[in-house]
Structures are given as structure tokens and as C-alpha cells.
Amino acid sequence: MVDLCLTGRQQEVQRAAREFAERELAPHARDNDRAQRAPVGLIRRMGEAGWLAPALPEAYGGRGLDMISYALVTEEIGRVDSSLRTALSITCSLVSLTVLAWGTREQQRRWLPELASGRAVGCFGLTEPQSGSVAAGCVGIMQASLEAATAYAGRRQAFDRPIAAFQLVQELLADIAVETEAARLLVWKAGDLKDRGEPSTAATSMAKLYASEGAVRAANAAIQVHGGYGYFDEYPVERYLRDARVATLYEGTTQIQKLIIGRHLTGLDAISP
Ligand SMILES: Cc1cc2nc3c(=O)[nH]c(=O)nc-3n(C[C@H](O)[C@H](O)[C@H](O)COP(=O)(O)OP(=O)(O)OC[C@H]3O[C@@H](n4cnc5c(N)ncnc54)[C@H](O)[C@@H]3O)c2cc1C
């Protein structure tokens, strides 16, 4: 049986993360982007509220959530501010979960509560082979692009009707919606495999590849729906495109994701032949 429904607990986490993101983070996203400011105070705030360590055990200051719940949190943060989503992914996936898996007891006791609370900020010096949280963050960008484009298309009038009434504008919206849903399901599949302890590398690469490239297409389409306004930062969609574009580069470029999938399919390594 395939169950594509969220549990009650997962829905609760999704709702709480969305409320937090909209209340605490969204109001500052544009100003921080314009000022090119790293919002250390907001990162600390995310830590205090438990959103920097969704997948870390409670014993270390985390929420002890499953990977799908973690993906939901990442999507909600990514929906309002992809820069803070990056802080979450790096702190939780790349640093905290790495220390949890391979750190000594002493390193775990010393660093995990600091990272979970936002008193310490994680960074890394390698490329992550299983970049699931980036994929989930890209779904957040896609969802935000869909919401922004749909709202604008409903407001903007041309020829005495909202542009949402034009078929080609509806095509842009429909394409974003379908790709967002497809990317979300790929992310959930990768998270589910991880939760079950089954091999998840190829599924994670598929999710990362599809969601990051899909986020570029979604943000681009959202700009198209906004017309000339989409190019300026009065509306958030040009930021969505910048945020999405970098996700096809870091934590495994698009080409490298394809080669990981190709290696999975053929057993032949074309990355370093
Ligand atoms: C904003 C930003 C933040 C970053 N943050 C971090 C960070 O915190 N920590 C960190 O470690 N790194 C970070 N990176 C680095 C990022 O992971 C690398 O830029 C990325 O892995 C690509 O490596 P590169 O830039 O050296 O490109 P290159 O390796 O030179 O690749 C150039 C092109 O060649 C392709 N290519 C390379 N090798 C192969 C191959 N074997 N087969 C097929 N195609 C190939 C690539 O896909 C790409 O299209 C960040 C990058 C950016 C842009």
C-alpha cells in the first residue's frame, strides 16, 4: 500500500512551522536580501523555537522528528526565506546530523545543543552526497512562486479582465503547480526511504535534481506572470529565481546528480572514470 497522506502529527508540525515562518521570518526577508545581511538574530530565534534541529534527538535539543516532518519544516522555511532555509539545512543536515552520526560522545555533548539552539552556526567544507534538505527547500521556493503568481494573476487587469483569465497565463500557473506537486512527492519518497533505513541515495539525487531545476522553472514562470514587475524587487519572485538558481550548483550540481543516478542505474561511475 502506498500512503501519500501526512499523519496528524506531521500536519501539526507543518502548521506550526508555517505559522512561525510567516510570523517571525517572512516580514524581514526582503529587507535582509536588499541589505545583503546575514540575520544572525533570526537564526538564533529559529534555534530558540526548535526549528534549527527538527531531525535531531530531543536529548540534544532537537525535536526528534522523522525525515518527512523535517522536509515539511524545510519547505515552510524555504517558502518565505531561502537564505534562512540554507542556514537550517547546513546546521541540521550537514553539521548536526554529521556530528550525531560520526562525532565522538564529547563532540556530540559539546556541539549539538549549541547548534540546535542557534548559539553556534554550522558550516562545512565538503559537498554533501545526500542533499535532501536542499530539495525540500526548493519545493518551498516552488510553492511560494505558485502562490505569488496566482495572487498576482488574479489582481492584474488587462483588457478588462484579470490576466488569470487568459489561457496562456493559466498554462504558466498549471505548469508550476504540477511540477511543485511532483517535486514534493519525490522529496517525501526520499525522506520515507531514509526513515525506513533503506538505500536512499538515488531517490535523494532524483529529488534534488528535479526540485532544484523545477524551482528555477517555477520562479522563472512566476516572473513571466508578473510581466515587467517580476524583474524588480518590489515583488519577491526575482529573489525566488536567484535563490533557486544557486541550488542547481551547490551540494551536488545538476550534472553530478545525473551522474549519481546514472551510476545507480548502470553500476558504472562516470563522475571520476
Ligand atoms: C552560493 C554558494 C555557496 C556554497 N557554499 C558551499 C559551502 O558552504 N561549502 C562547500 O563545501 N561548498 C560550497 N559551495 C561550493 C559548491 O558546492 C560548488 O560550487 C559546486 O560543488 C560546484 O563545484 P565548482 O564550483 O568547483 O564547479 P566545477 O567542479 O568546476 O564544475 C563546473 C561545471 O562542470 C561540471 N562538472 C564538474 N565535474 C564534472 C564531472 N565529473 N562530470 C560532469 N560534469 C562535471 C559541473 O556540474 C559544472 O557544471 C557553494 C557554492 C555557491 C555558489
Side-chain angles (χ1 to χ4, degrees):
M1 188 180 78
V2 176
D3 185 357
L4 298 176
C5 297
L6 298 177
T7 64
R9 175 77 183 120
Q10 287 167 338
Q11 288 176 35
E12 216 175 277
V13 168
Q14 184 182 41
R15 216 172 10 251
R18 177 169 288 220
E19 278 172 17
F20 173 83
E22 286 190 344
R23 189 182 62 244
E24 309 262 349
L25 309 182
H28 309 287
R30 187 169 71 174
D31 287 347
N32 285 330
D33 180 55
R34 279 182 174 166
Q36 299 185 6
R37 189 166 44 221
V40 177
L42 288 182
I43 294 173
R44 178 72 69 86
R45 182 75 199 95
M46 285 168 67
E48 288 164 358
W51 297 123
L52 273 185
L56 206 62
E58 292 179 31
Y60 292 115
R63 284 177 176 253
L65 298 174
D66 60 275
M67 295 308 280
I68 294 201
S69 298
Y70 178 27
L72 296 171
V73 173
T74 305
E75 178 182 335
E76 293 304 332
I77 307 283
R79 177 175 159 268
V80 303
D81 189 331
S82 193
S83 300
L84 287 170
R85 191 283 305 158
T86 306
L88 162 63
S89 295
I90 289 178
T91 302
C92 188
S93 287
L94 292 164
V95 181
S96 298
L97 293 181
T98 302
V99 172
L100 182 69
W102 288 290
T104 63
R105 269 289 162 77
E106 176 53 28
Q107 287 169 333
Q108 291 168 350
R109 270 199 297 262
R110 165 85 177 83
W111 287 110
L112 293 181
E114 292 290 300
L115 288 159
S117 67
R119 290 190 296 273
V121 176
C123 61
F124 71 108
L126 52 84
T127 293
E128 181 194 24
Q130 296 200 16
S131 39
S133 61
V134 174
C138 286
V139 177
I141 296 175
M142 297 173 85
Q143 181 64 35
S145 298
L146 178 62
E147 291 173 22
T150 307
Y152 185 83
R155 282 198 310 272
R156 170 72 170 158
Q157 298 274 326
F159 302 100
D160 296 326
R161 52 173 54 186
I163 60 169
F166 298 125
Q167 290 178 350
L168 293 181
V169 172
Q170 289 192 6
E171 181 187 45
L172 287 166
L173 299 177
D175 286 347
I176 305 174
V178 172
E179 290 211 61
T180 302
E181 204 56 32
R184 185 176 286 124
L185 291 175
L186 284 173
V187 168
W188 287 7
K189 180 180 176 188
D192 184 52
L193 289 172
K194 188 103 178 148
D195 279 334
R196 291 170 195 267
E198 292 179 24
S200 58
T201 301
T204 305
S205 281
M206 286 183 196
K208 200 275 183 180
L209 169 65
Y210 189 82
S212 57
E213 291 289 343
V216 172
R217 288 191 293 272
N220 221 359
I223 289 174
Q224 202 65 23
V225 170
H226 283 68
Y229 280 123
Y231 191 72
F232 300 104
D233 77 350
E234 186 178 342
Y235 289 90
V237 286
E238 60 81 33
R239 171 163 56 88
Y240 298 161
L241 182 60
R242 284 185 281 121
D243 289 338
R245 191 64 187 80
V246 73
T248 69
L249 297 169
Y250 60 26
E251 294 172 29
T253 62
T254 288
Q255 287 71 31
I256 295 300
Q257 301 305 334
K258 287 182 179 173
L259 295 183
I260 292 171
I261 297 164
R263 184 177 59 194
H264 173 76
L265 294 172
T266 65
L268 298 172
D269 183 3
I271 298 175
S272 47

